[in-house]
Amino acid sequence: MKKLNFENTTILITGASSGIGKEFAKQLASKGANLILTARTHSDLINLAEELEHEHTNIWIKTIPADLSELNGSRKLFEQINDLGLSVDYLINNAGFGKFCEFSGQSFETYHEMLMLNINALVELTHLCLPTMINKNSGGIINVASIGSFQPLPYQTVYGASKAFVLSFSEALTGELLDANIRVMALCPGTTESRFMENANADTSKMDLAPASEVVRAALINYGKNKMYTVSGKMNYLMSLIPRLVSRKRTVKIVVNMFKDSVVGK
């Protein structure tokens, strides 16, 4: 596996307008990468692109607004990238959302949108971008999963299940690419400073939120080491080991005690 170098590569980042996605854009721009940024809110993308191009005059940045939760949203985005005459060297599947609530507390439409974004869009963009990487025998993918990928998440039932899929999918894809110069890693952060928690309707008053900058910095270091997955933060790593140490029923009870009070309105 060659040493990782992002300079002059083209990187597609989904959910790039805030939080972890925005921080990936900042840190990769500082490494000389050209960026394709996508999110629903175009004005935030434009502001970020202008800021980064002002700071790093040796790169270019394209912004493409897209709603990846919509049917064919990923394909439309990919076609727009092709129309610009660009190809993706690295893909960062960061877009996603969750909800803190009892399962029956959200509509099925909300869960459908969540699964379309957290799973379908991630898989489709990977399926669209990977053939070029294979042809070049270079590049790679970072899929943003969650510390919740390792165990069931009461009060985040659908979100947790979707992130378990992301971890399993990423690890399986790594297995298929063992003989290629293509890196695939699942990033499994814990609670992080971002709009995610606000949009998830979570009470963060008792939560220790990690800075997105630290999460991304550690992710890029471990990606450079060709890690198959990485858990941000020592405490989060220890939490990820709980299912290996106690029964599944006990694990569920532990998670209930952790998150029950974080559900707004409980």
Side-chain angles (χ1 to χ4, degrees), residues 7-127:
E7 189 172 2
N8 295 321
T9 61
T10 298
I11 302 179
L12 170 60
I13 305 174
T14 70
S17 60
S18 65
I20 291 174
K22 183 177 182 178
E23 193 59 39
F24 265 120
K26 288 183 176 181
Q27 294 192 28
L28 289 167
S30 71
K31 297 180 183 295
N34 301 308
L35 305 176
I36 304 171
L37 307 180
T38 187
R40 294 181 182 181
T41 309
H42 199 202
S43 58
D44 290 346
L45 294 178
I46 292 174
N47 292 336
L48 177 60
E50 290 176 349
E51 172 191 336
L52 294 180
E53 286 183 323
H54 178 74
E55 293 178 2
H56 310 284
T57 57
N58 59 323
I59 66 170
W60 54 258
I61 300 176
K62 304 295 183 182
T63 62
I64 305 176
D67 185 350
L68 299 179
S69 68
E70 293 182 346
L71 184 64
N72 297 321
S74 297
R75 181 164 293 279
K76 290 177 182 177
L77 170 63
F78 187 73
E79 289 172 352
Q80 287 180 277
I81 293 171
N82 283 340
D83 289 343
L84 292 171
L86 302 174
S87 63
V88 175
D89 297 309
Y90 290 92
L91 168 63
I92 299 179
N93 279 310
N94 168 72
F97 77 96
K99 292 293 182 182
F100 278 68
C101 63
E102 291 183 344
F103 173 69
S104 59
Q106 289 290 330
S107 67
F108 176 75
E109 287 73 20
T110 297
Y111 292 133
H112 177 73
E113 182 181 0
M114 190 185 299
L115 293 172
M116 288 291 290
L117 183 60
N118 295 8
I119 294 179
N120 289 41
L122 180 146
V123 172
E124 185 167 17
L125 280 176
T126 299
H127 192 261

Side-chain angles (χ1 to χ4, degrees), residues 20 24 142-146 185-189 215-216 219 229-232:
I20 291 174
F24 265 120
I142 296 177
N143 290 323
V144 179
S146 167
M185 184 183 79
L187 168 59
C188 302
V215 172
V216 171
Y229 75 92
T230 184
V231 178
S232 61

Side-chain angles (χ1 to χ4, degrees), residues 56-244:
H56 310 284
T57 57
N58 59 323
I59 66 170
W60 54 258
I61 300 176
K62 304 295 183 182
T63 62
I64 305 176
D67 185 350
L68 299 179
S69 68
E70 293 182 346
L71 184 64
N72 297 321
S74 297
R75 181 164 293 279
K76 290 177 182 177
L77 170 63
F78 187 73
E79 289 172 352
Q80 287 180 277
I81 293 171
N82 283 340
D83 289 343
L84 292 171
L86 302 174
S87 63
V88 175
D89 297 309
Y90 290 92
L91 168 63
I92 299 179
N93 279 310
N94 168 72
F97 77 96
K99 292 293 182 182
F100 278 68
C101 63
E102 291 183 344
F103 173 69
S104 59
Q106 289 290 330
S107 67
F108 176 75
E109 287 73 20
T110 297
Y111 292 133
H112 177 73
E113 182 181 0
M114 190 185 299
L115 293 172
M116 288 291 290
L117 183 60
N118 295 8
I119 294 179
N120 289 41
L122 180 146
V123 172
E124 185 167 17
L125 280 176
T126 299
H127 192 261
L128 291 167
C129 294
L130 187 58
T132 298
M133 299 176 191
I134 292 174
N135 288 337
K136 293 181 178 179
N137 195 32
S138 66
I141 301 163
I142 296 177
N143 290 323
V144 179
S146 167
I147 184 65
S149 302
F150 298 93
Q151 69 281 309
L153 286 186
Y155 301 106
Q156 301 173 73
T157 52
V158 176
Y159 172 78
S162 73
K163 292 303 181 178
F165 175 94
V166 172
L167 176 60
S168 179
F169 171 73
S170 302
E171 290 181 321
L173 195 57
T174 298
E176 293 187 10
L177 297 169
L178 284 177
D179 296 328
N181 186 43
I182 300 170
R183 303 167 191 252
V184 179
M185 184 183 79
L187 168 59
C188 302
T191 51
T192 305
E193 292 177 353
S194 70
R195 293 178 188 168
F196 175 90
M197 302 305 291
E198 178 183 349
N199 294 335
N201 199 37
D203 179 3
T204 60
S205 59
K206 297 180 181 179
M207 293 185 183
D208 184 17
L209 302 180
S213 58
E214 292 182 7
V215 172
V216 171
R217 186 176 299 110
L220 292 176
I221 289 172
N222 285 324
Y223 193 60
K225 295 178 181 178
N226 199 26
K227 296 285 188 179
M228 188 164 58
Y229 75 92
T230 184
V231 178
S232 61
K234 292 181 180 179
M235 185 57 66
N236 288 329
Y237 177 72
L238 292 175
M239 288 173 56
S240 74
L241 299 178
I242 290 175
R244 302 183 187 181

